[in-house]
Amino acid sequence: MSGRITPAASTDVPDDVLLDVRGLRKTFVRRRGVFGRARAGVVAVNDVSFRVRRAETLGLVGESGSGKTTTGRALLRLIEPDSGEAWFEGRDILRMDATALRQLRRRAQYIFQDPFGSLDPRMTVADALREVLHVHRLASGAAADRRIAELLELVGLDAGLGGRYPHEFSGGQRQRIGIARALSVEPAFIVCDEPVSALDVSVQAQVLNLLRDLQDRLGLTYLFIAHDLGVIEHVSDRIAVMVDGRIVELASATDLIAAPRHPYTATLLSAVPLPDPLQDRPRQVALPVAGRDVPAIGCPYRLRCNHPDRDEACAVARPPLEEKAAGHLAACHKAPIGPP
């Protein structure tokens, strides 16, 4: 592989698209044979494709084990995908060598779910930020000190807290430090992997508002991963719904919440609490199945589907992710076509 900038994969990619993902796939080996050969595995991400526009937030939502975190990590090569393409600013991330990948770290960053686990407990906050600036040769000495103070203030922390260690901060403060570390290299794109799921509800709102404010001020682009559709709705311009390693619905946040086209999306939406305690939303529950193996043929979701009109087509043909209405894609044979 070469570190040089390669031409875009296709001329049909609009100028406003920052990330173009095509056919991403990742399998984790579950069992190996006597000679170390792979004998069985779990397909965590299966032929996932989507685009993220500049300065937008694409929410990626799904239950635990749906493959959303694996997707985010594979995109930035924190784990190595098996196949696919991820075109970012004219280069395919998945075919970059070590030199090009290091250059990518200046443009694309990752915010982890566990703010404490992602910070070195033996380093002060200032040292952790200074290390990033040193590795990428961005600042040193007094210039680094000024940049560290600026970053802490940018995420709503006092610049004088840089001499403290991670255990001296609350969960929300540690996540702000994680955000500051991601911003230290002035990226264009950030994968936010469940950044508020480990925080108290009141602190969640503060961190979400911070991320939105930073996006407006710095022109950032987010891939926001979460299992809570209520959180995703609050921060996203568009939402992609993922189940069993596949995207089954993708639409603007407004359209998807107002008129979900896939039974799994409707199930997720029914679990979101309403702000008015006097209002109630009918609960929809996915059908129980023995195990979580995905059917080899037909709709991958059909064994769990609660749609009343399931028929033979669902058992023999895999529904493609296709447009059901303007800008609204769904992978369901029974999804209505046309305006809601």
Side-chain angles (χ1 to χ4, degrees), residues 181-256:
R181 184 176 55 183
L183 294 176
S184 62
V185 294
E186 300 180 355
F189 174 66
I190 300 179
V191 176
C192 304
D193 184 6
E194 301 262 17
V196 298
S197 63
L199 306 178
D200 293 338
V201 174
S202 60
V203 180
Q204 286 184 9
Q206 296 173 17
V207 174
L208 291 175
N209 289 333
L210 171 64
L211 289 170
R212 295 186 68 176
D213 179 62
L214 291 171
Q215 184 176 43
D216 293 338
R217 294 170 61 182
L218 304 177
L220 298 170
T221 302
Y222 294 144
L223 174 64
F224 195 101
I225 297 170
H227 65 273
D228 187 336
L229 190 54
V231 170
I232 287 287
E233 176 189 4
H234 180 69
V235 300
S236 302
D237 299 296
R238 292 185 300 137
I239 299 175
V241 180
M242 199 167 185
V243 59
D244 296 331
R246 295 176 180 272
I247 291 178
V248 297
E249 187 162 6
L250 196 160
S252 71
T254 302
D255 291 345
L256 187 137

Side-chain angles (χ1 to χ4, degrees), residues 106 132-140 143-144 147 184-186:
R106 287 285 312 275
V132 178
L133 298 175
H134 172 73
V135 167
H136 290 279
R137 301 176 182 177
L138 297 175
S140 61
R147 178 58 175 159
S184 62
V185 294
E186 300 180 355

Side-chain angles (χ1 to χ4, degrees), residues 272-281:
V272 177
L274 294 171
D276 186 347
L278 299 180
Q279 286 186 309
D280 191 19
R281 177 185 283 137

Side-chain angles (χ1 to χ4, degrees), residues 24-28 42-46 70 74 79-83:
L24 189 69
R25 184 180 177 88
K26 175 62 180 179
T27 301
F28 291 103
V42 176
V43 181
V45 179
N46 194 350
T70 301
I79 58 174
E80 290 295 333
D82 299 331
S83 60

Side-chain angles (χ1 to χ4, degrees), residues 101-134:
L101 198 57
R102 180 169 175 171
Q103 296 171 353
L104 173 72
R105 304 297 183 214
R106 287 285 312 275
R107 302 292 294 158
Q109 280 286 308
Y110 203 97
I111 298 174
F112 294 89
Q113 176 180 357
D114 181 7
F116 188 69
S118 63
L119 297 170
D120 189 336
R122 300 164 298 180
M123 300 178 68
T124 66
V125 169
D127 287 340
L129 295 175
R130 186 176 290 105
E131 181 181 48
V132 178
L133 298 175
H134 172 73

Side-chain angles (χ1 to χ4, degrees), residues 11 36 39 59 68 91 97 158 179 189-190 253 256 278 280 291:
T11 57
R39 295 181 57 186
K68 56 190 185 298
R91 294 176 292 176
D97 63 10
D158 190 289
I179 295 170
F189 174 66
I190 300 179
L256 187 137
L278 299 180
D280 191 19

